[in-house]
Amino acid sequence: MRVAISPSFEPVKAPGSVTAGAPLLDPAGPRVVLGWTAEALAAPIEPSPSVLFGPRGVCLHPDGSLWVADTGHHRLLGWRRAPRADNAPADFVIGQPDFGREGRNAKGAAGADTLNVPTGLCAWGAGLAVADAWNHRVLLWRETPRDSHQPADIVLGQDGPAGMLANRGADQPDAATLHWPYGVADLDGRLLVADSGNRRVLIWENPEHSGQPADRVLGQRDFVTRDENAGGPVGAMGMRWPHGIAFWQGHLAVSDAGNNRIMLWDGLPPRSAEPCGRLLGQADFTACDHNMGAYYPDAAAVNMPYAVTVAGGLLIAADTANSRLLGWSRPAMTAPAERLTGQPDFASKGDNAWGLPARDTLCWPYGLSALGRQVAIADSGNNRVLLWDLAS
């Protein structure tokens, strides 16, 4: 049953006239909510097959399975089929010895089946890619795991499954190292990784073995530097904290959360250090203030966008610090979003619209995935995942 609970307080919004925007997701609310019930506002967060703690990544896999990076419990949860009922228990757990355990690397040494703050994840061919952020690596399964505890086939960013140091312990990165990788994406067989701590995006044409170096880099002039904004002022080439990656209407989209913008390239750049050609969220390439320097947001502004995905021809962004989702239909420079979910209008902000958590509110959404017209949201601040259809 779909139940929407109205917030208890008036949402914060700019004075004067505001634009409501067309609904991005079904106004009736999500079809399925995982990890949360309205009856338990202070629910315990002890790990179990149906409890989540700050999930930051989610994947609606084309094979019909659902995967969640249960970040605070340092594990992946897997459902054989995307659930159709609220709080359905997961079928698989990876990263912990059982559903009732938690702890970084299962309170032991790092291995091919352990996790330390997992964040972004995506379908990688027939398998799965997971950004294991605080082990400074990406784990790849050639096929979707079919059971709990299945180890990854490939480890990128480290020289083996036991490695867990940022940039393998070196002061500088190189083409084979990672520092706090957050987001992952598969674009026609290529693997793209938002290597957030090194302020860059790495591109592998065809990752085949552990420790393999990347083929190209965006956001830095070379593989061995990690400066904010490529060591210069804010511009079209450098990044601050890249997190989400998607391909939309022939454009590569990267959410640069630290510069409060979404960068757009025409196609996948064939060379390293290519500047982007367009932006969403800022008026020009030199600007970086959240909400374009204003206290209140509007349809063109963002505040720490962490995730992007594509559904129904729309680019959907998790405008994380504004606790809302935005939808664009066209990749035009600084275009305003046309669609909105999570706030009553484009000028409003606030966790759960400054009210109590409800079935259709958001609190710091960090991860997105889409399959067909279904969108999955890692609603991290509410310790839950929402499965929600696009609006008509």
Side-chain angles (χ1 to χ4, degrees):
M1 181 176 68
R2 302 179 184 178
V3 179
I5 301 175
S6 299
S8 301
F9 308 98
E10 286 296 316
V12 174
K13 66 177 87 174
S17 61
V18 296
T19 303
L24 172 62
L25 303 180
D26 186 350
R31 290 190 298 106
V32 175
V33 180
L34 302 174
W36 177 88
T37 59
E39 292 77 19
L41 295 179
I45 54 173
E46 288 86 358
S48 79
S50 57
V51 171
L52 301 172
F53 182 20
R56 291 203 171 193
V58 62
C59 172
L60 286 163
H61 200 285
D63 69 6
S65 61
L66 173 71
W67 295 88
V68 172
D70 187 17
T71 307
H73 288 142
H74 308 285
R75 65 183 186 174
L76 298 183
L77 294 181
W79 287 257
R80 289 185 181 89
R81 309 298 296 177
R84 296 187 177 184
D86 287 356
N87 300 316
D91 299 301
F92 312 126
V93 61
I94 294 175
Q96 299 295 340
D98 57 59
F99 285 110
R101 304 280 287 278
E102 61 180 335
R104 299 172 185 264
N105 292 314
K107 299 184 178 179
D113 61 348
T114 73
L115 295 159
N116 185 357
V117 189
T119 52
L121 67 164
C122 72
W124 177 60
L128 196 66
V130 178
D132 187 14
W134 281 114
N135 280 328
H136 308 289
R137 64 186 188 176
V138 169
L139 302 179
L140 301 177
W141 285 261
R142 291 190 175 93
E143 295 185 357
T144 308
R146 298 288 186 239
D147 204 350
S148 294
H149 321 306
Q150 185 172 328
D153 299 299
I154 297 172
V155 178
L156 299 177
Q158 302 290 351
D159 55 8
M164 55 183 294
L165 296 178
N167 292 321
R168 300 188 188 179
D171 292 334
Q172 292 180 311
D174 62 33
T177 72
L178 296 167
H179 183 184
W180 192 51
Y182 189 93
V184 288
D186 179 348
L187 301 182
D188 296 326
R190 300 175 181 89
L191 179 71
L192 278 69
V193 175
D195 186 16
S196 302
N198 285 324
R199 305 169 182 94
R200 64 186 187 177
V201 169
L202 295 179
I203 303 171
W204 280 263
E205 286 292 333
N206 183 24
E208 296 181 302
H209 59 82
S210 293
Q212 182 174 331
D215 298 290
R216 299 199 295 284
V217 60
L218 300 176
Q220 301 288 355
R221 301 188 186 282
D222 53 49
F223 285 112
V224 297
T225 52
R226 56 183 303 267
D227 298 325
E228 284 193 3
N229 296 309
V234 179
M237 193 275 281
M239 305 170 181
R240 193 173 178 213
W241 300 329
H243 285 91
I245 304 168
F247 202 72
W248 170 55
Q249 295 187 18
H251 292 76
L252 174 67
V254 173
S255 58
D256 181 15
N259 285 322
N260 301 293
R261 64 187 188 175
I262 298 168
M263 306 172 74
L264 299 174
W265 288 259
D266 292 335
L268 185 64
R271 295 174 297 275
S272 293
E274 288 282 316
C276 68
R278 305 177 194 184
L279 290 175
L280 300 173
Q282 297 292 351
D284 58 52
F285 293 110
T286 66
C288 65
D289 290 335
H290 68 267
N291 291 332
M292 292 186 174
Y295 178 77
Y296 299 101
D298 62 24
V302 295
N303 188 354
M304 296 181 67
Y306 266 74
V308 285
T309 193
V310 177
L314 301 171
L315 179 71
I316 301 173
D319 188 15
T320 304
N322 283 325
S323 291
R324 65 183 186 174
L325 303 183
L326 299 175
W328 288 264
S329 65
R330 58 193 180 95
M333 180 72 180
T334 202
E338 298 107 329
R339 294 178 178 267
L340 171 71
T341 284
Q343 300 292 348
D345 52 60
F346 283 117
S348 295
K349 66 175 186 176
D351 306 342
N352 295 309
W354 292 126
L356 297 174
R359 189 178 182 89
D360 60 350
T361 66
L362 297 169
C363 180
W364 285 69
Y366 272 97
L368 294 173
S369 179
L371 185 64
R373 296 188 62 81
Q374 184 172 208
V375 179
I377 305 146
D379 187 20
S380 187
N382 286 322
N383 298 310
R384 64 187 185 179
V385 164
L386 310 176
L387 303 183
W388 207 334
D389 291 334
L390 286 176
S392 299

